[in-house]
Amino acid sequence: MSETPGTTPVPEQTPTEAPGAEAAPAAPAPADAAAGEAVTEPAAPPEAPAPTDPISEAVAPGYRFEGPALELGGLMLNADELSDVHIRIPLGMLNRHGLVAGATGTGKTKTLQLLAEQLSANGVPVFAADIKGDLSGLSVPGEPSDKLTARTSSVGQTWTATGFPTEFYAIGGQGIGVPVRVTMTAFGPTLLAKVLDLNETQESSLGLVFYYCDKNGLPLLDLADLRAVLQYLTGDEAGKAELKTIGGLSPQTAGVILRELVSFEAQGADVFFGEPEFETKDFLRLTDDGRGVISLLELPNLQDRPALFSTFLMWLLADLFHDLPEEGDLDKPKLVFFFDEAHLLFNDASDAFLDQIAQTVRLIRSKGVGVFFVTQSPTDVPDEVLAQLGSRVQHQLRAHTPNDAKALKATVNTYPNSAYDDLGEVIMSLGIGEAVVTVMNERGAPTPVAWTRLRAPESLMDAAPTDGMEAAVKASPLTAKYAEGIDRESARELLAKKLEEGARKAAEDARVKEMAREQKNERVTKKSSEKAAEEDDGIVMDVVKSTAFKDFMRTAAREIARGMFGSGRR
């Protein structure tokens, strides 16, 4: 039969040899697909014997798919025995979301790397947060070794060292990568409340502040803008008056939000917010040869701001949901989004925040986006989200404490019935690079639980050289688009103008009042002077008109006349 391009046939099943029976001749081993290729399994020839061991009989039929699929590895019958049954995930089911879980050091990152390689090879773009920095090795061909050869041979993998098209990003430019920023308005009050660890009342109040800014034409682009608004509402007299018009927002709550925001900014979080805002459509890129671009977001100093990073990833996912059109069921996803350290997203989250996550995950499938949560235990993920994850790759869990044992039991209860006597024991006994797998088949039904030895990635299973990453970032067409930050007029500048105008108007009003006071004083002084002059004139007239004054004047006149004519008083 003809092969689907980029795929290879699955080997025929070989029966398990029964004691005392003559061994059946082994079928020739076919050339297997590389890790970066999808596999379409042809129908088994009529003469092919069916597997006789009970586990292979129960598992093998569930992983025979007609369409292209990603190879995960080989079915294990027990800790030492490996069958020739291939465990795979249908490419078309990857937008039904998934979970990669397991304790630290059990191989979760390598599983993520294996999936990303094959998705890229099948023309599906990938986004992943590079928590530890070692996913950058996807851009570099892997290095062969005896240990690697032994592993690939055991699962029937033809391994070829291959590098994959990779774009590096860094939040706010902190690290090696194209800067990724978001405006405060786009980030929104719900996600910001999660980052600031606000309670539900404070989260509601923060929403009122965003509403106030939107209503009054105050763009919130960065942390400085929001801080300026809160300082205006809590510190300025005009702002306090406006605060009273915002129903349900008390000065005390506004003050709490402001203090949390100042503390958040002191941690260096201001670089994550601003312009130019990243367009998430830039994750949906293909190379000229049709491979999907793998976008890796570096997360430096995760331990300092864990909630910020996980919430920032949630914003990216929500923005994709907002911008992408409805697509329905596609033959393959438009993007697969790996959400590493997912437990950080759900820790102490409000009910409103959890509802938003669940809704986004539930609906984004119709936009052609698949989401894989990567965390230590399935119990880290809320039930309403976990219920929507169709593919499960469960690495080893440990049960050293009562809580661990409880988590293990809860994990086992989420799986469909398996052919293993004690699935919990299997999960605890998994080796590095082994996992318990169940996925959705092409009809949307869960496949049988399969203890799987995973294939090896073909790219470098370590961090890429720094100089190579820096050269890739410098050569990226996105660097010119996002490298330089923009500081346009926003709420901070508008409020500064408003305060400056208010101060100018207040000064003008004070000057006018002073001038009016001075003019009033002048009028009072003038009137007093005129009244005094009138009073003086009245006294003079009274004197002049008096009889005594007239007699005095006649006597004086006679004396003057006598003196003038030489006649004196005798």
Side-chain angles (χ1 to χ4, degrees), residues 43-59:
E47 67 274 15
T52 57
D53 66 89
I55 293 179
S56 294
E57 288 179 344
V59 173

Side-chain angles (χ1 to χ4, degrees), residues 367-433:
K367 304 295 184 85
V369 177
V371 182
F372 272 71
F373 291 95
V374 184
T375 189
Q376 293 195 3
S377 171
T379 57
D380 295 335
V381 181
D383 290 344
E384 56 268 32
V385 177
L386 189 63
Q388 301 175 51
L389 309 184
S391 297
R392 304 275 295 278
V393 181
Q394 177 66 62
H395 289 268
Q396 182 193 116
L397 283 179
R398 301 174 184 128
H400 300 317
T401 69
N403 285 338
D404 290 341
K406 185 177 180 180
L408 177 62
K409 183 177 180 181
T411 298
V412 172
N413 290 338
T414 63
Y415 280 89
N417 294 332
S418 74
Y420 303 98
D421 294 334
D422 188 342
L423 184 58
E425 185 65 29
V426 171
I427 292 175
M428 286 195 298
S429 63
L430 292 171
I432 297 173

